Amino acid sequence: MLVLKFIVLVILFLTFAGLADHLYHGKRWNRWVRFPLAVVCFVIGLELFQMAVMMLFDDFGVPMPSWMEWLMEEE
Protein backbone atom coordinates (compact mmCIF):
# COMPACT_ATOMS: atom_id res chain seq x y z
CA MET A 1 0.00 0.00 0.00
CA LEU A 2 2.86 2.40 0.77
CA VAL A 3 4.49 1.70 -2.56
CA LEU A 4 1.22 2.43 -4.35
CA LYS A 5 0.81 5.69 -2.43
CA PHE A 6 4.39 6.67 -3.30
CA ILE A 7 3.83 5.92 -6.99
CA VAL A 8 0.61 7.96 -7.02
CA LEU A 9 2.38 10.91 -5.37
CA VAL A 10 5.19 10.82 -7.93
CA ILE A 11 2.73 10.60 -10.83
CA LEU A 12 0.72 13.53 -9.45
CA PHE A 13 3.91 15.53 -8.93
CA LEU A 14 5.01 14.97 -12.52
CA THR A 15 1.52 15.81 -13.78
CA PHE A 16 1.40 19.12 -11.94
CA ALA A 17 4.96 19.96 -13.01
CA GLY A 18 4.03 19.32 -16.65
CA LEU A 19 0.83 21.32 -16.30
CA ALA A 20 2.71 24.24 -14.79
CA ASP A 21 5.22 24.14 -17.65
CA HIS A 22 2.42 23.95 -20.23
CA LEU A 23 0.59 26.89 -18.67
CA TYR A 24 3.73 29.00 -18.33
CA HIS A 25 4.94 28.47 -21.90
CA GLY A 26 1.55 28.13 -23.60
CA LYS A 27 0.06 30.94 -25.64
CA ARG A 28 -3.57 29.81 -25.50
CA TRP A 29 -4.77 32.04 -22.65
CA ASN A 30 -4.09 35.59 -21.61
CA ARG A 31 -0.92 36.23 -19.71
CA TRP A 32 -2.67 37.39 -16.52
CA VAL A 33 -4.59 34.11 -16.35
CA ARG A 34 -1.88 31.58 -17.15
CA PHE A 35 0.93 32.89 -14.92
CA PRO A 36 -1.01 32.67 -11.62
CA LEU A 37 -2.34 29.25 -12.62
CA ALA A 38 1.19 28.10 -13.42
CA VAL A 39 2.38 29.30 -10.01
CA VAL A 40 -0.45 27.46 -8.24
CA CYS A 41 0.30 24.23 -10.15
CA PHE A 42 4.01 24.62 -9.39
CA VAL A 43 3.38 25.04 -5.65
CA ILE A 44 1.03 22.04 -5.58
CA GLY A 45 3.68 20.01 -7.42
CA LEU A 46 6.33 21.04 -4.88
CA GLU A 47 4.09 19.96 -1.99
CA LEU A 48 3.49 16.58 -3.63
CA PHE A 49 7.23 16.16 -4.20
CA GLN A 50 7.92 16.99 -0.55
CA MET A 51 5.33 14.43 0.56
CA ALA A 52 6.92 11.75 -1.63
CA VAL A 53 10.45 12.47 -0.38
CA MET A 54 9.43 12.51 3.28
CA MET A 55 7.58 9.24 2.68
CA LEU A 56 10.88 7.74 1.53
CA PHE A 57 12.62 8.79 4.72
CA ASP A 58 9.81 8.13 7.21
CA ASP A 59 7.93 5.09 5.91
CA PHE A 60 10.48 3.23 3.79
CA GLY A 61 13.39 3.65 6.19
CA VAL A 62 15.81 5.24 3.75
CA PRO A 63 18.52 6.96 5.83
CA MET A 64 18.47 10.72 5.53
CA PRO A 65 21.70 12.26 4.19
CA SER A 66 23.65 14.34 6.67
CA TRP A 67 23.24 17.52 4.63
CA MET A 68 19.42 17.21 4.98
CA GLU A 69 19.26 16.65 8.73
CA TRP A 70 18.78 20.36 9.42
CA LEU A 71 15.33 20.05 7.84
CA MET A 72 14.16 17.75 10.62
CA GLU A 73 15.61 19.67 13.58
CA GLU A 74 13.06 20.83 16.10
CA GLU A 75 13.60 23.52 18.68
Side-chain angles (χ1 to χ4, degrees):
M1 189 67 184
L2 287 176
V3 174
L4 182 63
K5 184 177 176 183
F6 179 74
I7 290 171
V8 168
L9 284 174
V10 170
I11 289 172
L12 285 173
F13 156 68
L14 292 174
T15 302
F16 274 97
L19 184 61
D21 184 60
H22 175 72
L23 287 172
Y24 184 78
H25 293 292
K27 302 279 190 261
R28 179 175 247 176
W29 295 334
N30 289 336
R31 192 174 193 177
W32 64 272
V33 174
R34 62 187 166 114
F35 286 164
L37 285 176
V39 168
V40 168
C41 288
F42 181 74
V43 169
I44 291 172
L46 282 179
E47 290 295 323
L48 290 167
F49 179 72
Q50 180 186 9
M51 286 174 59
V53 168
M54 291 314 294
M55 187 178 200
L56 274 176
F57 295 135
D58 292 339
D59 297 334
F60 292 134
V62 176
M64 186 172 289
S66 60
W67 56 270
M68 284 184 69
E69 288 177 358
W70 63 273
L71 291 172
M72 300 300 292
E73 291 178 0
E74 295 182 15
E75 294 183 22

